Structure formats: C-alpha cells, structure tokens
Amino acid sequence: MSKIYYSISDLARELDITTRAIRFYEEQGMLAPERRGQERIYSAKDRVALKLILRGKRIGFSLAECKELIELYDPAGGNRKQLDTFMEKIAERRAQLQQQLLDIQQMQLELDTAEERCIAALEQTQA
C-alpha cells in the first residue's frame, strides 16, 4: 500500500485555510511534515491532526487542548485514552457554555431593568 502525501497548498485548499495557518500549527509542534529540500510534505496523519485542530477550534478548545488530544492519538492502542480525554473536554466546554448562557441571560435582565428605568426617567422629564 502506498502512502498518501499532501503539499501545504493541497491542505490549505482542501481545508479552506491559509498556508500561514498551517505553518503556524507546525511551529507549535502540532504537525510534523517531512522536508524535501524547501518543500513540506504532509502525511495522512498530519491531515487528520489538522482536521482535529480545526474542529477543536470551532468548538472552543484552546490550541493546548487540541495539541493534548493529538498527542494522545495511538492507532495501535485503540485511542481509548484520547476518546476519554475528548469526552472530558466536551463536558467541560459544555459546562462553560451553559454558564456563559446563564450570564448572558442575567445581563439581558439587567439591561431590561436599566432600559425600563431610563424610559421612566425620560417620560418624567417630558411631563
């Protein structure tokens, strides 16, 4: 079976990100392309890692959390530790979002109260 490789422009085009972003993730130690002269050659594993990074960012994970999940990847070990850690991080993120939602709702109530007071004060100044 032959290995599949990607150029930086292939990955950028496929995943709709910039080559600069890919180089940044490489600098952070999250991707490890081979080098052929000046050219970066990315493996299927790099492609999967990049997809995990982008998915993690979309759901609010930090780069450090994404890196931790990528480092736990162990195809020989069945990825149990990676999946357990991912589930923990999902639960944490869900709890953070729930708290943010409660905070937003409280702020909306406070804004409603402030607005009502302003309307009442404006009505008194017009009377």
Side-chain angles (χ1 to χ4, degrees):
M1 182 168 110
S2 64
K3 288 192 171 187
I4 298 173
Y5 294 100
Y6 305 89
S7 71
I8 193 168
S9 58
D10 290 339
L11 289 177
R13 189 173 32 261
E14 177 186 345
L15 301 173
D16 196 27
I17 60 174
T18 65
T19 56
R20 182 177 177 158
I22 295 172
R23 285 191 296 271
F24 172 77
Y25 298 133
E26 182 183 341
E27 289 168 7
Q28 299 302 308
M30 301 172 84
L31 303 172
E34 293 178 25
R35 293 283 192 160
R36 290 190 190 146
Q38 294 285 53
E39 186 179 14
R40 291 170 169 87
I41 305 297
Y42 295 88
S43 67
K45 181 180 176 182
D46 290 318
R47 181 177 169 267
V48 170
L50 192 51
K51 289 175 88 171
L52 286 172
I53 293 165
L54 297 173
R55 181 178 301 136
K57 282 182 53 182
R58 278 194 308 272
I59 59 177
F61 289 172
S62 69
L63 283 182
E65 289 171 316
C66 292
K67 185 175 183 178
E68 177 186 356
L69 289 169
I70 290 166
E71 289 172 350
L72 289 173
Y73 178 71
D74 178 17
N79 293 322
R80 179 65 192 227
K81 185 160 178 61
Q82 182 190 41
L83 293 171
D84 287 340
T85 303
F86 192 33
M87 290 295 290
E88 290 170 14
K89 293 196 177 300
I90 287 171
E92 289 170 9
R93 184 65 182 137
R94 211 179 280 279
Q96 290 170 348
L97 289 172
Q98 185 62 38
Q99 184 58 54
Q100 287 176 336
L101 182 58
L102 292 173
D103 293 344
I104 289 168
Q105 291 169 339
Q106 181 61 40
M107 192 177 298
Q108 286 177 320
L109 290 173
E110 291 175 17
L111 287 170
D112 290 344
T113 301
E115 183 179 43
E116 289 169 7
R117 288 182 181 161
C118 286
I119 289 170
L122 284 170
E123 289 173 352
Q124 286 180 353
T125 60
Q126 293 178 1

